[in-house]
């Protein structure tokens, strides 16, 4: 089976997520990865990797033009390779991207699989509800990470239940300096006088209201 895997943000934890998914595909899959120049990992020998997205290194109109040029490259690669499945991780220019991938679906007969990491883009409210509603109902399959998201997706947009598949997210296994982690932990405990029977909760990563950390703190309190 010929598969195109597309992630315009393939760097950091997103790259770890992608590789965890890709390395678990069966060996009879011919996989071409269309990723980002941010990727600095190692790709399995059985897969081809094209770091065609370079917009992260640009600003302003150059950033948009770079992204659109990457989509043009995808069009040419799809035209030549004719993949059976195109698996997309994220839409960046929501209106245009959704049209573009549905165009590839219709033009070349490829099955479109989309991973809905969020039902709608972060911090956009209902702005793109119509765009995503149309997209969700025209792609061939949608992957979500929990049953709650599946239920919300089917209820809100009327997507057929058998088109939405739950794949648990799992842990992101970062490679870190364990000695440094233990030293930071010891320093934290000593600095704030934390006893051994005290539970400490932390939220790692870039913070934003959409993550709901403030709600968790309120409930905890």
């Amino acid at each position: 089976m010929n598969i195109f895997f597309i992630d315009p943000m393939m760097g950091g934890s997103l790259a770890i997520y992608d590789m965890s998914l890709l390395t678990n595909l069966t060996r009879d899959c011919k996989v071409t990865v269309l990723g980002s120049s941010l990727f600095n990992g190692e790709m399995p020998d059985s897969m081809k990797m094209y770091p065609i997205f370079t917009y992260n290194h640009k600003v302003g109109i150059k950033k948009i033009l770079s992204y659109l040029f990457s989509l043009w490259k995808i069009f040419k690669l799809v035209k030549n390779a004719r993949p059976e499945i195109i698996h997309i991780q994220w839409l960046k220019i929501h209106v245009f991207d959704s049209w573009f991938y549905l165009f590839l679906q219709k033009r070349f007969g490829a099955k479109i699989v989309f991973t809905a990491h969020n039902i709608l883009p972060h911090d956009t409210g209902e702005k793109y509800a119509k765009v995503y509603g149309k997209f969700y109902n025209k792609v061939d399959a949608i992957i979500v990470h929990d049953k709650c998201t599946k239920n919300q997706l089917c209820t809100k947009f009327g997507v057929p239940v058998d088109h939405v598949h739950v794949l648990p997210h799992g842990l992101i296994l970062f490679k870190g300096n364990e000695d440094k982690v233990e030293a930071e932990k010891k320093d934290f405990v000593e600095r704030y006088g934390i006893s051994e029977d005290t539970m400490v909760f932390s939220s790692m990563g870039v913070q934003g209201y959409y993550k709901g950390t403030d709600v968790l703190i309120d409930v905890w309190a």
Side-chain angles (χ1 to χ4, degrees):
M1 183 175 291
N2 189 5
I3 301 173
F4 271 26
F5 182 89
I6 302 175
D7 186 353
M9 302 193 295
M10 195 175 183
S13 62
L14 298 179
I16 298 173
Y17 168 93
D18 288 343
M19 294 310 300
S20 298
L21 177 63
L22 290 168
T23 52
N24 280 284
L25 292 176
T26 57
R27 293 187 178 183
D28 59 344
C29 294
K30 177 185 177 184
V31 181
T32 301
V33 180
L34 307 180
S36 168
S37 56
L38 296 175
F39 181 72
N40 61 359
E42 294 184 5
M43 191 65 54
D45 293 336
S46 59
M47 301 179 188
K48 292 183 179 179
M49 163 68 174
Y50 296 97
I52 64 172
F53 290 98
T54 60
Y55 68 90
N56 295 284
H57 307 290
K58 298 176 175 61
V59 295
I61 189 64
K62 290 183 178 180
K63 191 169 190 173
I64 298 174
L65 292 175
S66 174
Y67 184 80
L68 294 176
F69 185 61
S70 297
L71 295 186
W72 170 246
K73 289 181 180 179
I74 290 176
F75 170 79
K76 292 196 294 183
L77 287 167
V78 170
K79 181 180 179 180
N80 293 330
R82 299 299 175 100
E84 297 164 76
I85 295 176
I86 299 175
H87 185 169
I88 307 146
Q89 288 297 316
W90 301 92
L91 303 183
K92 294 296 291 178
I93 305 178
H94 310 292
V95 177
F96 186 82
D97 282 3
S98 59
W99 171 86
F100 173 72
Y101 289 117
L102 292 177
F103 168 76
L104 295 183
Q105 178 193 52
K106 185 176 181 180
R107 177 71 179 271
F108 301 112
K111 301 292 185 183
I112 301 295
V113 177
F114 180 69
T115 298
H117 297 279
N118 313 287
I119 294 178
L120 291 172
H122 293 324
D123 300 327
T124 60
E126 296 292 309
K127 182 178 180 179
Y128 295 107
K130 187 175 180 180
V131 171
Y132 274 82
K134 180 180 178 181
F135 184 67
Y136 286 146
N137 278 280
K138 290 195 174 184
V139 298
D140 297 280
I142 303 169
I143 293 173
V144 297
H145 293 314
D146 57 69
K147 292 181 180 179
C148 180
T149 304
K150 176 177 180 175
N151 292 336
Q152 290 177 345
L153 195 66
C154 295
T155 301
K156 184 178 180 67
F157 298 107
V159 180
V161 174
D162 59 350
H163 282 201
V164 185
H165 308 273
V166 178
L167 262 176
H169 191 289
L171 297 175
I172 296 292
L173 301 177
F174 282 100
K175 292 182 180 179
N177 186 325
E178 295 300 327
D179 292 336
K180 187 174 181 180
V181 170
E182 285 301 316
E184 291 283 350
K185 178 181 175 181
K186 183 178 179 181
D187 177 68
F188 188 86
V189 168
E190 292 177 352
R191 188 188 314 166
Y192 296 102
I194 299 172
S195 61
E196 292 184 0
D197 60 348
T198 300
M199 180 184 292
V200 178
F201 176 84
S202 66
S203 179
M204 299 177 65
V206 177
Q207 299 302 303
Y209 279 110
Y210 72 86
K211 293 189 176 183
T213 308
D214 57 323
V215 176
L216 180 60
I217 291 171
D218 288 342
V219 173
W220 192 291

